[in-house]
């Protein structure tokens, strides 16, 4: 509208637009100022009639931004000036868009919990029966249902995936002075339990084929350990970002050297290796139900095995190792690691929709891959033997683009989009820098993946419009 517009016409425009904001322009093109219903009410209170024109509206310098502004900067200006709208103007002073706080003040997060309806039924049953303390029918059922789903015979529901790894190492007799081999490209929770037991981690590089533990690197490490008469007490193979490691050669190596294998499938529940569930190839397998995982119990984990005796002992240790006596008696040190009946109810409900969650995350990955096939992005491989959940969409940025992973992550953050680097390898962590590290004989794959890698938002409850918003930022950042 222009200065020749009447107050009544402006009020009618406001009512029709339902945005609470009008734009006043000169010569029908150049932006002059914003007009709110408050501005119009003040004209009426000062004696102006509905047929009065806006010539008496005071001239002010409205806050505007240019069309290259980031969402974060725009939101900062809104907060600074206490406003909810920002006109975006081009170099000629023409308004090309009006930013609304409701539209831009919404961050896209990496991987958020995705709850359904059935979780409440199991939780309400726990409340109805007053069975909210640790253990109970939901815990028993969740263990049974999870074990059935992955094709194992026994399971123990615990407080976290970390607790499950810790129990696995205790069950395998890991003690002070031992060594445990572990994937280097992983979260610290895979390695920390080794130190809890007073043992020393030895880290193993990834392969290019799956980004998970390299069979060649593991063979070099085992051969070196055998040569000095110090084979590890266990090998922890981590399956990253929803994809199984190449298990056949890893299992064969562990069998050849007589070392038990623990499969850390915290990130790969629902994934398959040659049709078999990830997490079921080792002596013990673990899953995580942390808030960002493909299904969640808020916090929780599961230890699985076909060895009944191991799982029964895990449950005993996880319940403070209380002896079967009429009084409180403890012959060994135990832990408060069991899952509560309420959280197990959430897990039971989540498990019923796991297949849907997997399909949704794979659809998100497919959208990224199809839309960004020409901008210098290399996706985490999915070998022919793998069925990945794509819990997180992981990729590397080709150095030839001239755009670093750090720059892309910052560009996404400026648009209220959470992304993060690929895990910083354990052998690069200050707390583990003294530990041995084995590659497959060439340059470190883990180092390169960390340097070039990015994890993109991948939630199963994301709208495809959000995925397209992310794609747009990536294309603009990489293509300039």
């Amino acid at each position: 509208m222009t200065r020749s517009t009447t107050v009544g016409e402006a009020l009618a425009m406001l009512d029709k637009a339902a945005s609470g904001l009008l734009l006043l322009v000169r010569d029908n093109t150049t932006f002059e100022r914003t007009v709110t219903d408050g501005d119009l009410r003040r004209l009426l209170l000062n004696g102006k009639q509905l047929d009065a024109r806006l010539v008496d509206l005071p001239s002010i310098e409205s806050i505007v931004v240019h069309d290259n502004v980031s969402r974060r900067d725009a939101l900062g200006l809104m907060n600074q000036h206490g406003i909810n709208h920002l006109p975006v103007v081009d170099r000629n002073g023409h308004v090309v868009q009006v930013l609304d706080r409701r539209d831009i003040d919404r961050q896209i997060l990496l991987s958020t919990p995705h709850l359904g309806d059935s979780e409440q039924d199991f939780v309400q049953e726990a409340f109805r029966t007053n069975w909210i303390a640790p253990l109970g029918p939901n815990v028993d059922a969740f263990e049974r249902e999870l074990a059935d789903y992955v094709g194992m015979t026994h399971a123990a529901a615990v407080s976290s995936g970390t607790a499950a790894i810790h129990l696995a190492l205790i069950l395998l007799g890991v003690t002070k002075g031992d060594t445990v081999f572990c994937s280097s490209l992983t979260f610290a929770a895979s390695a920390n339990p080794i130190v809890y037991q007073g043992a020393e981690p030895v880290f193993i590089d990834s392969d290019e084929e799956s980004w998970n533990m390299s069979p060649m690197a593991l063979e070099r490490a085992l051969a070196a350990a055998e040569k000095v008469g110090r084979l590890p007490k266990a090998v922890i193979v981590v399956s990253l970002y929803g994809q199984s490691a190449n298990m056949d050669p890893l299992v064969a190596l562990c069998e050849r050297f007589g070392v038990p294998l623990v499969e850390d499938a915290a990130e790969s529940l629902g994934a398959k290796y040659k049709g078999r569930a990830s997490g079921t190839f080792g002596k013990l397998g673990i899953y995580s139900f942390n808030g960002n995982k493909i299904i969640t119990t808020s916090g929780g984990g599961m230890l699985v095995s076909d060895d009944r005796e191991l799982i029964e002992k895990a449950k005993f240790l996880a319940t403070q190792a209380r002896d079967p006596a009429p009084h409180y008696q403890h012959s060994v040190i135990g832990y408060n690691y069991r899952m509560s009946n309420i959280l197990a109810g959430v897990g039971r409900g989540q498990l019923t929709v796991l297949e849907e969650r997997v399909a949704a995350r794979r659809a998100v990955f497919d959208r990224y891959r199809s839309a960004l096939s020409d901008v210098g992005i290399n996706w985490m491989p999915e070998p022919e033997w793998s069925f990945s959940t794509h819990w997180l969409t992981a990729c590397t940025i080709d150095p030839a683009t001239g755009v670093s992973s750090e720059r892309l992550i910052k560009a996404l953050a400026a648009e209220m989009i959470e992304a993060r680097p690929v895990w910083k390898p354990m052998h690069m962590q200050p707390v583990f820098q003294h530990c041995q590290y084995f590659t497959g004989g060439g340059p470190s794959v883990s180092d390169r993946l960390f340097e070039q890698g990015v994890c993109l938002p991948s939630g199963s409850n994301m709208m495809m419009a959000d995925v397209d918003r992310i794609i747009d930022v990536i294309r603009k950042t990489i293509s300039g």
Side-chain angles (χ1 to χ4, degrees):
M1 65 182 185
T2 66
R3 290 280 182 176
S4 63
T5 304
T6 67
V7 175
E9 289 169 338
L11 286 170
M13 290 179 190
L14 271 176
D15 183 60
K16 183 177 181 180
S19 65
L21 185 77
L22 295 175
L23 304 177
L24 189 67
V25 296
R26 301 185 187 93
D27 305 323
N28 291 321
T29 58
T30 306
F31 176 70
E32 181 181 344
R33 60 161 290 179
T34 58
V35 179
T36 66
D37 56 351
D39 295 320
L40 299 176
R41 284 199 304 270
R42 280 187 287 274
L43 286 176
L44 294 173
L45 289 172
N46 288 333
K48 301 298 179 183
Q49 302 300 313
L50 290 175
D51 59 355
R53 310 218 175 249
L54 299 183
V55 291
D56 292 324
L57 196 66
S59 294
I60 61 171
E61 186 175 348
S62 292
I63 306 299
V64 299
V65 292
H66 294 285
D67 53 10
N68 60 350
V69 69
S70 71
R71 284 176 176 246
R72 194 171 295 278
D73 287 344
L75 186 61
L77 273 175
M78 290 181 182
N79 292 336
Q80 179 183 346
H81 296 282
I83 55 180
N84 294 317
H85 300 87
L86 266 179
V88 180
V89 298
D90 62 18
R91 66 181 63 185
N92 298 315
H94 301 158
V95 176
V96 295
Q97 184 184 6
V98 177
L99 299 178
D100 187 319
R101 177 187 292 273
R102 293 172 300 181
D103 296 329
I104 69 171
D105 191 11
R106 187 177 63 81
Q107 189 170 15
I108 301 177
L109 299 175
L110 192 71
S111 178
T112 58
H114 187 181
L115 298 178
D117 298 322
S118 59
E119 293 90 341
Q120 292 191 28
D121 296 334
F122 295 113
V123 172
Q124 287 299 324
E125 178 65 15
F127 275 94
R128 189 186 66 79
T129 59
N130 201 34
W131 212 321
I132 63 172
L135 305 184
N138 276 334
V139 174
D140 296 337
F142 188 31
E143 291 171 342
R144 182 175 62 254
E145 291 159 3
L146 188 284
D148 288 345
Y149 178 83
V150 299
M152 298 293 273
T153 52
H154 305 288
V158 292
S159 56
S160 67
T162 310
I165 296 174
H166 188 199
L167 289 168
L169 297 183
I170 296 170
L171 295 170
L172 294 176
V174 175
T175 59
K176 186 175 182 180
D178 290 332
T179 60
V180 174
F181 291 2
C182 180
S183 302
S184 187
L185 190 64
T186 186
F187 179 51
S190 300
N192 284 342
I194 301 170
V195 182
Y196 298 167
Q197 288 305 103
E200 183 78 5
V202 174
F203 295 112
I204 311 300
D205 196 10
S206 296
D207 62 24
E208 296 282 3
E209 183 185 29
S210 70
W211 291 18
N212 290 310
M213 184 180 283
S214 161
M216 188 177 298
L218 177 61
E219 184 172 24
R220 292 185 70 238
L222 287 169
E226 184 180 52
K227 188 174 182 180
V228 298
R230 196 171 181 234
L231 285 169
K233 211 60 174 289
V235 173
I236 300 175
V237 176
V238 182
S239 293
L240 289 175
Y241 301 133
Q243 176 162 280
S244 172
N246 189 2
M247 295 308 302
D248 280 352
L250 296 172
V251 169
L253 282 167
C254 287
E255 290 177 348
R256 173 179 147 197
F257 286 89
V259 180
L261 186 151
V262 176
E263 193 177 352
D264 179 354
E267 300 177 5
S268 62
L269 177 63
K272 292 182 173 62
Y273 175 79
K274 297 183 178 179
R276 179 174 164 185
S278 179
T280 64
F281 289 83
K283 184 73 171 176
L284 293 148
I286 76 100
Y287 301 105
S288 171
F289 310 116
N290 190 35
N292 65 355
K293 294 299 188 291
I294 196 160
I295 63 170
T296 182
T297 59
S298 175
M302 193 78 77
L303 187 64
V304 298
S305 178
D306 282 331
D307 189 323
R308 177 176 185 146
E309 185 177 340
L310 284 180
I311 294 299
E312 289 303 318
K313 187 174 181 181
K315 292 177 180 179
F316 168 71
L317 292 172
T319 320
Q320 298 290 19
R322 181 184 173 185
D323 291 337
H327 46 273
Y328 284 93
Q329 176 174 299
H330 307 271
S331 302
V332 297
I333 295 297
Y335 305 88
N336 185 18
Y337 277 174
R338 282 295 250 157
M339 183 182 286
S340 79
N341 197 53
I342 289 179
L343 295 188
V346 176
R348 293 184 69 191
Q350 287 272 282
L351 190 58
T352 65
V353 293
L354 175 55
E355 297 297 324
E356 297 173 26
R357 303 296 185 253
V358 170
R361 292 196 186 234
R362 286 181 64 87
V364 168
F365 170 76
D366 287 342
R367 185 70 156 247
Y368 281 128
R369 182 174 56 180
S370 63
L372 295 170
S373 61
D374 60 340
V375 295
I377 287 180
N378 300 307
W379 305 104
M380 181 179 183
E382 188 173 0
E384 53 86 19
W385 43 256
S386 170
F387 176 81
S388 173
T389 68
H390 294 290
W391 167 61
L392 290 184
T393 291
C395 62
T396 56
I397 312 301
D398 191 329
T401 64
V403 175
S404 67
S405 59
E406 180 181 9
R407 178 177 162 191
L408 179 60
I409 290 169
K410 286 182 177 179
L412 289 164
E415 295 301 324
M416 311 287 285
I417 298 165
E418 181 188 19
R420 74 179 183 200
V422 168
W423 295 122
K424 183 175 184 178
M426 291 299 100
H427 71 273
M428 298 177 67
Q429 299 287 349
V431 71
F432 292 127
Q433 61 186 359
H434 64 285
C435 297
Q436 281 187 292
Y437 172 57
F438 286 86
T439 69
S444 172
V445 174
S446 298
D447 288 30
R448 182 187 67 79
L449 294 176
F450 170 60
E451 180 183 356
Q452 301 174 2
V454 177
C455 296
L456 300 174
S458 309
S460 53
N461 51 2
M462 287 178 66
M463 296 179 291
M464 283 302 170
D466 289 337
V467 181
D468 291 339
R469 174 178 146 194
I470 297 164
I471 289 167
D472 184 56
V473 176
I474 293 173
R475 292 194 70 89
K476 287 180 179 176
T477 304
I478 294 180
S479 302

